[in-house]
Amino acid sequence: MTVITNIEDLRVLAQKRVPRMFYDYADSGSWTESTYRANEADFQPIKLRQRVAVNMENRSTATTMIGQNVAMPVAIAPTGLTGMQHADGEILAARAAKKFGIPFTLSTMSICSIEDVAKGTDGHPFWFQLYVMKDRDYIERLIDRAKAANCSALMITLDLQILGQRHKDLKNGLSAPPKPTLANLINMATKPRWGLGMLGTPRRQFGNIVGHVKGVDNMGSLSEWTAKQFDPALNWGDVEWIKKRWGGKIILKGIQDVEDARLAVNSGADALIVSNHGGRQLDGAESSIHALPAIVDAVGRQIEVHMDGGIRSGQDALKAIALGAKGTYIGRAFLYGLGALGEAGVTKALEIIRNELDLTMAFCGHTNINTVDKSILLPGTY
């Protein structure tokens, strides 16, 4: 593929280059995948108002998210196993985000550790996403490690107290450690570029966990530990405890309901993310873009509302901003770039999205992202 013009081009290339079990892990939802598909599809009916004879000079997509300057209102979402899409994937994505001027969020379930990413970006601030585990001592140490690594925000994921079933992962034998089928082993052998990259790095397990939990020093003991650790008893009291322990900016991820949005405001968080975990948890839940307007109407004056799920273009991001989101997140879109071309692919994904965002904003009669609102959308289409 000589000319890459959109995120779909990167997806096609990633599918060719990444072993099926890891590509499927990123590119799948739970059960029937109806919510995963709706996240993307529900952007399409929303139509834009084209304006003409407007001075389109001096355009800017720069704004802020939770008070931090960003080159565009798009951050890299936390994604587990990023370092299995491409060797050292989290470090490469964080570097691309740093150069581009947008936030990178590291997942608790990353392959590269908090310290790896801090070292790989020369101490540049990034955001850290926290899964709440039953082992509170481990959580406290994880928070302290994020502080030491100069993380500028802590993102608490609230929608993974228990794990949604993803059929592709079960069929592919994706677990910790992986139990690949014969078909997957044969498939891996056809991905030499990926294989050479993985041979060249020591980072092949969950870097934030292995070696940081008593008794967890390999992938076998890790599997046993993680199976018992996601905390089904997670509640708003835990959020309050984490907020006090952290002492900095807090973002709550996984809000889909107006009632929960109001509770998020009461928790004292700095932002909430309208998200259904990329359609990977409750299948049959509404899409993020569909849930966004009601939450903005209910709490948008009290807390910064962000949105995650289904964004595959700058136009999608612009539609979310028009509906009241102060920031958006890309997960699969950057993973496709990473799997396709490493750091250069992540940069390419960001360039594609900013270019689409910039041009669409101009065609809708705006030169500054901060002036975009519902007036750019065709009434009756959202």
Side-chain angles (χ1 to χ4, degrees):
M1 191 178 294
T2 51
V3 181
I4 292 170
T5 61
N6 55 33
I7 298 300
E8 175 62 10
D9 288 344
L10 291 170
R11 187 199 67 76
V12 170
L13 195 52
Q15 191 172 22
K16 290 176 182 172
R17 292 185 167 179
V18 178
R20 180 172 52 229
M21 68 188 302
F22 298 119
Y23 173 83
D24 280 355
Y25 171 78
D27 198 33
S28 64
S30 62
W31 293 337
T32 69
E33 299 191 334
S34 67
T35 299
Y36 166 41
R37 289 192 301 273
N39 272 351
E40 216 173 323
D42 284 358
F43 278 101
Q44 303 314 310
I46 303 170
K47 299 302 176 190
L48 301 158
R49 291 176 62 209
Q50 180 176 318
R51 304 301 303 279
V52 297
V54 176
N55 186 339
M56 294 181 179
E57 295 174 309
N58 303 315
R59 298 189 302 280
S60 173
T61 59
T63 185
T64 61
M65 291 173 70
I66 58 165
Q68 296 183 24
N69 292 327
V70 294
M72 61 178 173
V74 179
I76 287 183
T79 55
L81 291 175
T82 300
M84 299 309 284
Q85 302 295 319
H86 189 288
D88 298 335
E90 291 90 356
I91 295 170
L92 302 183
R95 282 179 183 160
K98 174 187 174 182
K99 289 173 191 167
F100 210 87
I102 66 161
F104 168 80
T105 318
L106 182 71
S107 169
T108 293
M109 306 306 290
S110 59
I111 300 300
C112 302
S113 68
I114 296 170
E115 293 79 11
D116 288 335
V117 173
K119 186 177 178 185
T121 55
D122 299 319
H124 184 73
F126 60 97
W127 297 351
F128 181 67
Q129 173 270 335
L130 182 73
Y131 280 126
V132 183
M133 309 287 194
K134 291 177 185 174
D135 185 341
R136 293 300 196 255
D137 179 58
Y138 166 70
I139 291 302
E140 289 190 350
R141 283 184 282 113
L142 201 54
I143 290 169
D144 291 345
R145 287 168 60 199
K147 281 186 195 176
N150 199 27
C151 291
S152 54
L154 189 71
M155 183 183 292
I156 307 172
T157 294
L158 298 175
D159 61 358
L160 205 138
Q161 293 162 268
I162 54 176
L163 199 61
Q165 182 171 310
R166 301 151 199 171
H167 298 334
K168 287 176 187 171
D169 290 349
L170 292 173
K171 287 171 179 169
N172 287 331
L174 189 71
S175 57
K179 302 181 184 75
T181 62
L182 178 60
N184 274 316
L185 287 170
I186 293 167
N187 177 258
M188 276 186 179
T190 68
K191 315 291 181 184
R193 191 174 184 273
W194 178 89
L196 284 170
M198 294 310 296
L199 284 172
T201 179
R203 302 178 185 97
R204 299 188 205 101
Q205 49 197 8
F206 291 116
N208 289 324
I209 300 171
V210 174
H212 295 280
V213 176
K214 192 177 178 183
V216 177
D217 47 19
N218 58 52
M219 285 296 264
S221 50
L222 171 71
S223 177
E224 192 180 338
W225 185 81
T226 51
K228 299 173 183 172
Q229 277 300 317
F230 286 107
D231 191 356
L234 172 67
N235 60 68
W236 292 102
D238 294 318
V239 173
E240 189 179 337
W241 162 71
I242 292 165
K243 181 176 165 59
K244 281 181 185 168
R245 176 80 189 197
W246 171 247
K249 295 282 178 78
I250 290 276
I251 304 169
L252 300 181
K253 182 172 181 281
I255 306 295
Q256 282 283 106
D257 188 272
V258 167
E259 251 181 90
D260 287 335
R262 291 195 177 106
L263 291 167
V265 171
N266 294 341
S267 77
D270 297 277
L272 65 83
I273 308 175
V274 178
S275 172
N276 52 39
H277 215 98
R280 296 163 68 77
Q281 285 294 89
L282 175 61
D283 190 41
E286 70 178 327
S287 67
S288 296
I289 194 64
H290 197 264
L292 175 66
I295 290 174
V296 169
D297 287 347
V299 302
R301 290 181 185 85
Q302 301 159 275
I303 191 171
E304 203 165 293
V305 176
H306 298 173
M307 181 265 171
D308 158 76
I311 291 175
R312 302 291 186 274
S313 70
Q315 286 205 342
D316 293 341
L318 188 71
K319 288 173 182 178
I321 300 301
L323 289 172
K326 298 298 181 189
T328 62
Y329 295 77
I330 53 169
R332 292 180 178 98
F334 98 84
L335 288 177
Y336 298 148
L338 180 68
L341 295 164
E343 182 179 341
V346 179
T347 300
K348 186 68 178 175
L350 297 177
E351 287 170 350
I352 287 166
I353 285 173
R354 182 166 64 180
N355 185 52
E356 292 168 342
L357 177 66
D358 173 60
L359 291 178
T360 307
M361 176 179 74
F363 287 137
C364 292
H366 287 257
T367 56
N368 190 310
I369 195 70
N370 296 299
T371 67
V372 168
D373 58 18
K374 282 183 188 174
S375 67
I376 73 162
L377 305 176
L378 198 65
T381 67
Y382 60 91

